[in-house]
Amino acid sequence: MNTVRTADEETVGAQKAAVVTGAGSGIGRAVALELLAAGWSVALAGRRPETLEETAALAPAGSSALPVRADVSRPEDVAALFTAVRERFGRLDLLFNNAGTFGPGGVPVEELPYEAWRHVVDTNLNGAFLCAQAAYRQMKEQSPQGGRIINNGSISAHTPRPHSVAYTATKHALTGLTKSLSLDGRRYGIAVGQIDIGNAATDMTAGMQTGALQANGETSPEPVMDVADVARTVRHMAELPLEANVQFATVMATAMPYVGRG
């Protein structure tokens, strides 16, 4: 019968294994490299094999990175990803559910094509569910039993930006996914939390420093923070014993217009 790991059991034995989705760039790449530098084995998941190979090439010598081409919105790709992880690493200790898309930028709700809405929902919400479900199954069945799932919720899980209805709706939904998985995972030693990130400096946020649309209709520059600070926060959450969990963490550029947004 599977048993939940104790804190002592977690600190000894085989190298811990993680899956990071969206690992080819931005936050996903930073988190994957942080974990690899800390001695984790990491499956790098994403849609573009070339960027995954670039991430793997940045990893410290001797680290264990496994690039796996996967579109998280496709159930067959997700199944193949977690099969590859099980075959390569033998177990799964962490899923960082990070893959996501903002969708068309600056499009008012009345002009947003259904296809664009559906693409954002399929990636941000359905993809997160499919990966969490696959991780949950593996963590429940493996011995020692248990593991951790961290969902990337974003500041938009709390407060929207203008013209972001699809992204904001999916990020609010991720909060419900996090809470439900956290509750259901208790009996199996599966800890589930969420990190809500604001203005980490990545390619996706590059335009914010020159000007981002505000709730009052004006365009203003916004401060950003080093993506490495996000990666260190995820690592801290990931390396807690399973008896402890960061349910929700907000990590943001200190002076970004979030608290006063709108």
Side-chain angles (χ1 to χ4, degrees):
M1 180 177 179
N2 289 338
T3 57
V4 177
R5 287 172 290 167
T6 67
D8 290 340
E9 287 172 326
E10 286 190 308
T11 61
V12 297
Q15 191 174 37
K16 290 185 180 180
V19 170
V20 176
T21 66
S25 63
I27 291 168
R29 173 175 285 180
V31 169
L33 293 175
E34 178 75 16
L35 293 173
L36 286 163
W40 288 69
S41 299
V42 182
L44 312 171
R47 292 183 295 107
R48 295 178 294 165
E50 64 275 12
T51 61
L52 299 178
E53 293 293 344
E54 290 171 4
T55 299
L58 294 170
S63 58
S64 182
L66 173 66
V68 182
R69 191 264 168 209
D71 181 340
V72 298
S73 69
R74 298 173 61 87
E76 60 272 24
D77 282 16
V78 173
L81 165 64
F82 284 86
T83 295
V85 169
R86 185 167 55 251
E87 291 176 351
R88 173 70 174 269
F89 301 138
R91 64 174 293 109
L92 177 64
D93 299 285
L94 172 68
L95 164 66
F96 181 44
N97 233 344
N98 168 72
T101 180
F102 191 83
V107 179
V109 61
E110 69 272 18
E111 298 176 11
L112 184 69
Y114 173 73
E115 293 76 15
W117 164 273
R118 182 61 184 268
H119 175 65
V120 176
V121 172
D122 281 345
T123 303
N124 295 5
L125 179 57
N126 295 342
F129 163 74
L130 290 170
C131 289
Q133 183 184 55
Y136 189 101
R137 287 170 173 165
Q138 186 163 337
M139 291 171 179
K140 178 182 174 182
E141 294 168 1
Q142 65 193 6
S143 181
Q145 191 180 60
R148 190 178 305 273
I149 298 170
I150 301 173
N151 294 323
N152 182 349
S154 166
I155 290 291
S156 289
H158 301 268
T159 306
R161 288 185 176 276
H163 305 324
S164 66
V165 63
Y167 186 77
T168 299
T170 57
K171 293 302 185 177
H172 273 65
L174 270 181
T175 298
L177 180 68
T178 297
K179 290 179 178 179
S180 198
L181 289 169
S182 183
L183 178 61
D184 292 344
R186 287 177 180 176
R187 64 184 298 185
Y188 305 114
I190 300 172
V192 185
Q194 181 169 310
I195 183 167
D196 297 326
I197 302 161
N199 287 17
T202 66
D203 290 343
M204 185 177 178
T205 61
M208 289 182 178
Q209 295 179 77
T210 57
L213 182 63
Q214 305 299 310
N216 63 0
E218 297 179 358
T219 298
S220 303
E222 293 190 13
V224 297
M225 64 174 174
D226 193 333
V227 71
D229 294 323
V230 176
R232 283 192 290 270
T233 304
V234 173
R235 178 185 165 193
H236 168 71
M237 295 168 70
E239 293 188 339
L240 289 172
L242 290 179
E243 293 81 5
N245 186 40
V246 175
Q247 187 71 76
F248 292 97
T250 300
V251 183
M252 52 180 272
T254 302
M256 71 174 287
Y258 160 55
V259 175
R261 191 187 293 182

